[in-house]
Amino acid sequence: MDGKVYVVTSGKGGVGKTTTVANLGTGLAKLGKKVALIDADIGLRNLDVVLGLENRIVYDIVDVVEKKCRQEQALIKDKRYSSLCLLPAAQTRDKTAVSPKQMGELITQLKKDFDYVIIDSPAGIEQGFKNAIEGADEAIVVTTPEVAAVRDADRIIGMLEAEGLSNPELIINRVRVDMMRRGDMMNIEDMVEILAIQLLGIVPEDENIVVSTNTGEPIVLTEDAQAGEAFWNITRRLEGEDIPLISLEEGVVDRLKRFVGLK
Amino acid sequence: MGSNGVVFKGDLEGLIIILDDQLDFSELITELEQKFEQAGKFFNDDLIARIKLGARSLSITEKKRLVEVFKKQLDLSVIEFINDETDFEATQQEDTLLIKRTIRSGQSVSFAGNIVIQGDVNPSAEVIAGGDIVVMGVIRGIAHCGANGKRDATISAFRLEPTQLRIANQISRAPDGFVSSPDTPEIAYIKDGQIEIDYLRK
């Protein structure tokens, strides 16, 4: 049976698409699933760095499409989980090096061998985005609690619907509970009301993310980090488990603070 | 003037200058100089130019002559001489390409002879040479020497901190995690079928 193909997209840059892909992929591999991650950001690749696999790249997606190598040769096996593979983007080329049709064929091939194929979309709504959503069965939209990010997410959801990806799911990233409570940041309810799609998860702002992306160790493997716990929960939701959202009124930190009498 | 032995084209990475490989060399030079004259101050500062030579293989004197013409164009820096791909393998000349700039992420330099870079090779940049590679700076990206199978080719740099080194058909990658390299020039070569790195002495 063919695997499931997800595209992770956002419209706006810098909201955490690549981090999300790296963590969900690693999380699913940790659950024993066979996962292929595709970096569709040709010319500005990053997923290899976030996974710590940059030094293993010999062939890339453009080489596969141009038939300079076989598909298996370009798939890089993760250093932590052997069931996780990365198909890196080319850095010396641009988005026009791959057409949506070629992308579709590539994914049709890949999903035969994997339980999950997750595509990391580039920012923007141009050809790179069109390539990324080609062949996807499901979409995950990542946004942050900022007006600009939400507006771009809304635009993207509209475009996904037009392309037949009618039930995208939402991840709200970089959430700061303290600011939300003060009313200085858009709150979750407002965002879900505007975007009107299923909420898949909320990831708190966590400075450990910076360390994790720089060292190439996905944070989902650090379960005592808040963001790691959040990505782990999202991973398990993808696998069909019923995990409640992290309560915002009372996050882990608050519980601790109250416990030691700070509140 | 109506002939088009020299064609200027632009793309995202800069300027492509296509030189007709059938035209006589001296005519080519004359036409190129005329084209530059016509263009005047048309070019932006520090535009990168790639020169497509087609099937023409240049002698050393011819290449020097060409470089002289380009040197007069202060706002242009030549980054590559490109032959047709079949030619790349056929030409065995020991020419050296000098590049006075840093090769940044996503940029790629390839040349059939040796390459000398006065600058760095940053992560996700690649330098591919038929012969040796010398970087008077830091290699952080990918360097591939002896790309046509020359197994005695070497890669040397003031600091070798590459993502990958490739010599002929041999590949080695940086170890995982944080690595510190000695603050001294080093050289990589093939010894007993393996890529080895040693201090660059003398």
Side-chain angles (χ1 to χ4, degrees):
Chain A
M1 206 192 95
D2 282 354
K4 261 190 169 177
V5 184
Y6 282 93
V7 59
V8 175
T9 184
S10 70
K12 189 174 177 298
V15 297
K17 288 179 293 297
T18 303
T19 309
T20 302
V21 170
N23 281 291
L24 297 190
T26 306
L28 286 164
K30 192 181 171 188
L31 287 172
K33 298 291 157 187
K34 290 189 75 183
V35 187
L37 306 181
I38 303 179
D39 191 346
D41 204 348
I42 301 170
L44 286 170
R45 71 174 178 212
N46 285 130
L47 186 54
D48 55 322
V49 176
V50 175
L51 287 164
L53 299 175
E54 185 186 17
N55 56 9
R56 288 162 168 80
I57 298 176
V58 177
Y59 297 110
D60 54 52
I61 191 169
V62 176
D63 293 321
V64 175
V65 162
E66 290 178 350
K67 302 212 162 33
K68 287 183 182 157
C69 71
R70 283 173 290 116
Q71 190 170 293
E72 311 86 81
Q73 288 177 297
L75 283 170
I76 299 170
K77 198 167 272 186
D78 183 57
K79 53 189 174 188
R80 294 151 291 244
Y81 294 101
S82 62
S83 65
L84 178 65
C85 285
L86 166 70
L87 181 57
Q91 183 73 349
T92 54
R93 306 291 291 274
D94 61 45
K95 308 287 188 270
T96 57
V98 175
S99 71
K101 184 167 169 280
Q102 290 169 322
M103 192 76 178
E105 288 165 1
L106 183 74
I107 286 164
T108 311
Q109 279 304 312
L110 268 178
K111 68 178 178 186
K112 286 180 190 159
D113 301 329
F114 291 90
D115 301 320
Y116 287 91
V117 176
I118 306 179
I119 306 156
D120 184 14
S121 156
I125 53 174
E126 294 80 19
Q127 185 170 353
F129 166 73
K130 299 210 164 85
N131 280 344
I133 62 172
E134 185 75 30
D137 310 316
E138 311 268 350
I140 295 173
V141 176
V142 182
T143 190
T144 57
E146 288 161 85
V147 176
V150 172
R151 182 187 298 176
D152 290 2
D154 196 39
R155 172 96 171 97
I156 284 292
I157 293 165
M159 294 184 76
L160 289 169
E161 282 169 349
E163 295 292 330
L165 291 162
S166 48
N167 291 307
E169 293 181 287
L170 182 68
I171 292 179
I172 302 176
N173 193 17
R174 312 193 65 166
V175 167
R176 290 187 54 180
V177 181
D178 51 339
M179 287 183 73
M180 269 183 191
R181 197 176 294 125
R182 288 200 304 268
D184 293 337
M185 192 176 244
M186 290 182 82
N187 69 46
I188 306 290
E189 291 73 32
D190 291 350
M191 293 171 72
V192 173
E193 194 192 309
I194 294 170
L195 297 176
I197 58 173
Q198 180 69 37
L199 184 58
L200 181 62
I202 298 164
V203 183
E205 173 91 14
D206 186 343
E207 58 182 25
N208 291 312
I209 287 278
V210 179
V211 182
S212 132
T213 51
N214 286 344
T215 54
E217 290 290 333
I219 199 159
V220 71
L221 301 173
T222 321
E223 276 170 60
D224 52 353
Q226 280 193 43
E229 188 191 357
F231 279 122
W232 181 235
N233 286 341
I234 295 171
T235 306
R236 288 161 66 199
R237 276 182 212 121
L238 283 182
E239 266 292 284
E241 283 186 57
D242 186 18
I243 315 265
L245 294 166
I246 296 177
S247 166
L248 282 175
E249 284 65 45
E250 189 162 37
V252 186
V253 181
D254 297 309
R255 248 179 287 157
L256 248 172
K257 276 184 184 165
R258 200 177 51 189
F259 187 71
V260 297
L262 283 172
K263 278 183 130 181
Chain B
M1 192 84 75
S3 123
N4 44 5
V6 178
V7 178
F8 288 174
K9 268 187 173 174
D11 72 358
L12 289 174
E13 290 168 45
L15 183 70
I16 303 170
I17 300 174
I18 303 166
L19 303 179
D20 186 350
D21 53 15
Q22 300 307 318
L23 208 64
D24 181 63
F25 186 74
S26 56
E27 286 177 40
L28 196 70
I29 292 288
T30 321
E31 196 174 329
L32 186 63
E33 283 175 326
Q34 281 172 356
K35 275 270 163 72
F36 275 135
E37 228 165 85
Q38 288 166 14
K41 280 298 293 177
F42 172 76
F43 298 120
N44 291 327
D45 275 351
D46 213 16
L47 196 63
I48 296 173
R50 284 161 293 154
I51 320 297
K52 289 202 171 177
L53 299 166
R56 182 192 297 274
S57 61
L58 294 173
S59 72
I60 293 177
T61 10
E62 284 174 334
K63 192 162 270 182
K64 278 188 182 151
R65 181 77 190 89
L66 256 184
V67 169
E68 267 172 38
V69 178
F70 285 111
K71 267 192 180 160
K72 283 187 209 144
Q73 304 298 318
L74 293 177
D75 37 12
L76 273 191
S77 49
V78 176
I79 198 140
E80 251 181 302
F81 281 105
I82 307 165
N83 276 109
D84 287 348
E85 268 185 52
T86 45
D87 261 37
F88 185 79
E89 278 159 45
T91 48
Q92 278 298 320
Q93 47 190 2
E94 281 292 299
D95 259 330
T96 296
L97 173 69
L98 172 64
I99 296 170
K100 297 185 180 185
R101 61 158 64 236
T102 286
I103 315 299
R104 293 183 182 279
S105 173
Q107 293 178 333
S108 172
V109 179
S110 55
F111 184 63
N114 308 310
I115 298 180
V116 178
I117 293 170
Q118 288 180 0
D120 299 337
V121 178
N122 280 353
S124 300
E126 57 183 27
V127 177
I128 303 164
D132 291 359
I133 295 173
V134 178
V135 176
M136 308 183 80
V138 190
I139 300 186
R140 301 188 187 90
I142 296 174
H144 189 177
C145 69
N148 302 325
K150 202 169 171 289
R151 292 179 67 82
D152 59 350
T154 64
I155 300 167
S156 47
F158 284 173
R159 278 193 85 145
L160 267 183
E161 297 173 357
T163 319
Q164 266 179 21
L165 290 179
R166 303 177 187 166
I167 302 179
N169 60 351
Q170 208 86 23
I171 298 183
S172 70
R173 64 167 172 84
D176 289 319
F178 180 78
V179 228
S180 68
S181 68
D183 190 10
T184 175
E186 291 182 292
I187 183 166
Y189 46 82
I190 295 185
K191 193 181 170 190
D192 303 329
Q194 293 258 323
I195 296 182
E196 281 197 9
I197 295 176
D198 201 354
Y199 296 125
L200 184 68
R201 295 193 196 85
K202 280 167 275 180

